[in-house]
Amino acid sequence: MKNIYILFFVFAFSLFQSCGIKNESDIKRPKLVDKNATNNTFKLHHELEIIAKKGFAIGHQDATSYGINWKHEDNSSLIKSDVHEVVGKFPAVYGFDIGKIEHAQEKNLDGVSFNIMTNLIIDAYKKGGIITISWHVDNPVSLGNSWDSKPAVSEIIKGGKNREKYELWVQRVADFLNTLQINDEKIPVIFRPFHEMNGSWFWWGEGNCTASDYIKLWQQTVQLLKDKHNLHHILYAYSPNKLNPTDEYLKHYPGDEYVDILGIDIYDFNNSEEYSKAIIHDLKIVKKIANEKKKLFAFTETGIEKIPTHNWFTEVLYPNIENSGISWVLLWRNHTTSHHYMPFKGHTSENDFIEFEKLPKTLFLKDIQKLKN
Ligand code: BMA
């Protein structure tokens, strides 16, 4: 009789094993857009989860590419950043934009060379930084820039008369993303294409295409990258702009199978009261939807141009995101003294940013490095 019990347990155990539950890490893996995502991509996702529990990672667009009165030189091993100059710490999140890669141009729309971009991405990742990439892609019909609102989406989705051109453009995106590697390991990146689609300023935005064509464009772009070009080091982020009263966050949502991270872009146009209200209102919606869908979420773009508001970082931004649950917040680029979103040495908000860095929830590169160890 005893033997029968033993046999039963041996049988049950082998059945359990053959079900594919092999080890703990298998059980814990979240559902990503890409079922075949690399281990490092899963690790990045996990890291973003941990970060959101501790605070939020501080990001800056083009942080190391250029700043006020400097530009990263070709072949230079010196890595600079305005954030570092001000607080002695580098940002944790590095935003890059690949607009113009679609024409195989040498430089992006803001004059950053793609070769340099690759090197800066490799450098940031080696140091523990997180990479997020947007794509201000030109209008495929008019060949004007992203802000040329001539309808184009219906012409580049499957069956459209500019489809072939678009597939070539996506291939060039894939070629670039393939350059992001260290030895043979691809660097995981967050790709955030076709952002702010509820606004009407981009050709993929509201009024310039239908929501259903937008969704097709997104889904087909993901399919091309993942299934045709075999890229498996990408997390996909969806980021509408600040919600207008009648906007629905999910109106252009391509579906749970096509999005890993939910985001939102909100700027302060010198009205901090309205800005604060929008953050509280919109991030609450994003958080609720993200929690229901078991997805991460982030404040994918923000800032106030030139930072004219007194103590903006500590008194406006921080209190509004302190307990929001976001994984990161990305401040936009430091182009010139009249178009910048982070302080630089000598700027009036320098001290405020130094205080911001000391606050418990702000996580810079050094802080997220510690979380990994
Ligand atoms: C915008 C501005 C533009 C820039 C674009 C892409 O918000 O900063 O000057 O070309 O982002 O970086």
Side-chain angles (χ1 to χ4, degrees):
M1 197 58 178
K2 240 186 192 169
N3 283 349
I4 291 179
Y5 279 121
I6 291 169
L7 261 173
F8 172 75
F9 279 116
V10 169
F11 173 71
F13 184 65
S14 53
L15 194 72
F16 172 73
Q17 282 216 314
S18 66
C19 287
I21 305 170
K22 291 192 184 83
N23 56 44
E24 232 195 338
S25 62
D26 275 353
I27 300 168
K28 277 188 193 154
R29 286 202 156 189
K31 239 182 152 189
L32 297 186
V33 168
D34 188 350
K35 286 189 212 72
N36 299 317
T38 61
N39 278 336
N40 286 333
T41 310
F42 277 99
K43 269 193 203 156
L44 168 61
H45 187 274
H46 184 61
E47 191 187 349
L48 291 167
E49 264 171 358
I50 305 281
I51 287 173
K53 284 183 189 139
K54 303 274 172 188
F56 43 83
I58 301 300
H60 189 200
Q61 183 72 4
D62 287 340
T64 47
S65 310
Y66 53 81
I68 304 304
N69 295 326
W70 65 272
K71 191 172 163 91
H72 183 88
E73 305 285 344
D74 256 324
N75 299 323
S76 166
S77 55
L78 177 73
I79 302 294
K80 275 181 70 154
S81 128
D82 282 346
V83 168
H84 179 252
E85 306 269 295
V86 171
V87 289
K89 282 185 175 181
F90 279 93
V93 174
Y94 295 78
F96 293 91
D97 194 282
I98 56 170
K100 301 288 182 201
I101 198 79
E102 61 275 14
H103 308 298
Q105 278 191 16
E106 209 186 299
K107 292 180 177 174
N108 84 348
L109 76 163
D110 299 318
V112 179
S113 121
F114 286 108
N115 282 337
I116 290 182
M117 198 184 288
T118 297
N119 292 336
L120 292 175
I121 289 175
I122 293 172
D123 180 84
Y125 181 70
K126 273 191 182 159
K127 292 173 178 160
I130 292 165
I131 314 299
T132 171
I133 296 178
S134 49
W135 186 22
H136 280 85
V137 50
D138 280 353
N139 185 313
V141 170
S142 66
L143 297 180
N145 62 23
S146 301
W147 294 268
D148 181 332
S149 59
K150 188 175 169 63
V153 175
S154 63
E155 291 195 25
I156 58 171
I157 54 180
K158 274 185 197 159
K161 61 173 186 277
N162 273 300
R163 176 68 180 180
E164 221 176 300
K165 184 198 285 179
Y166 184 66
E167 288 203 13
L168 175 65
W169 286 14
V170 175
Q171 187 195 313
R172 288 172 173 156
V173 169
D175 291 345
F176 175 75
L177 295 176
N178 258 325
T179 66
L180 309 179
Q181 57 175 10
I182 300 171
N183 301 324
D184 282 340
E185 293 210 16
K186 298 276 182 236
I187 296 173
V189 297
I190 299 152
F191 188 41
R192 190 173 66 89
F194 307 123
H195 60 306
E196 301 172 6
M197 77 304 288
N198 53 330
S200 55
W201 44 92
F202 295 132
W203 56 262
W204 57 85
E206 183 72 44
N208 307 321
C209 67
T210 63
S212 108
D213 280 353
Y214 175 91
I215 289 170
K216 282 185 195 145
L217 174 64
W218 181 291
Q219 294 178 340
Q220 292 172 15
T221 304
V222 170
Q223 283 158 2
L224 287 169
L225 293 174
K226 176 167 69 78
D227 305 328
K228 180 171 177 202
H229 299 295
N230 289 311
L231 298 188
H232 300 297
H233 55 298
I234 304 176
L235 295 176
Y236 295 89
Y238 167 76
S239 60
N241 194 61
K242 169 177 149 11
L243 302 173
N244 297 307
T246 56
D247 283 354
E248 269 183 50
Y249 182 80
L250 291 177
K251 180 169 177 195
H252 298 85
Y253 185 62
D256 295 350
E257 313 282 294
Y258 290 91
V259 173
D260 292 306
I261 301 172
L262 306 184
I264 189 103
D265 295 3
I266 309 172
Y267 282 86
D268 182 342
F269 293 103
N270 299 313
N271 184 342
S272 294
E273 207 177 305
E274 196 191 309
Y275 173 73
S276 301
K277 270 193 199 146
I279 303 185
I280 301 288
H281 176 265
D282 291 4
L283 278 181
K284 202 168 143 196
I285 292 174
V286 180
K287 181 181 189 166
K288 183 169 178 283
I289 298 173
N291 285 346
E292 279 162 14
K293 296 183 176 301
K294 298 197 171 54
K295 306 243 182 228
L296 296 168
F297 62 105
F299 198 178
T300 37
E301 269 187 47
T302 194
I304 178 167
E305 195 179 55
K306 296 197 275 184
I307 328 165
T309 306
H310 184 67
N311 291 347
W312 186 81
F313 284 95
T314 55
E315 288 173 16
V316 180
L317 180 61
Y318 190 83
N320 285 315
I321 58 174
E322 188 178 3
N323 297 312
S324 63
I326 54 171
S327 286
W328 78 88
V329 54
L330 181 88
L331 279 297
W332 204 243
R333 66 199 197 105
N334 274 13
H335 176 43
T336 57
T337 48
S338 52
H339 185 55
H340 72 93
Y341 296 85
M342 276 290 192
F344 50 89
K345 265 242 138 345
H347 187 271
T348 48
S349 59
E350 222 184 325
N351 284 336
D352 182 50
F353 197 72
I354 292 170
E355 293 308 313
F356 179 71
E357 186 277 322
K358 291 184 198 149
L359 293 171
K361 298 285 180 78
T362 55
L363 303 174
F364 287 70
L365 184 63
K366 266 195 192 150
D367 307 313
I368 67 162
Q369 282 166 342
K370 277 187 218 143
L371 292 178
K372 282 187 197 175
N373 301 323

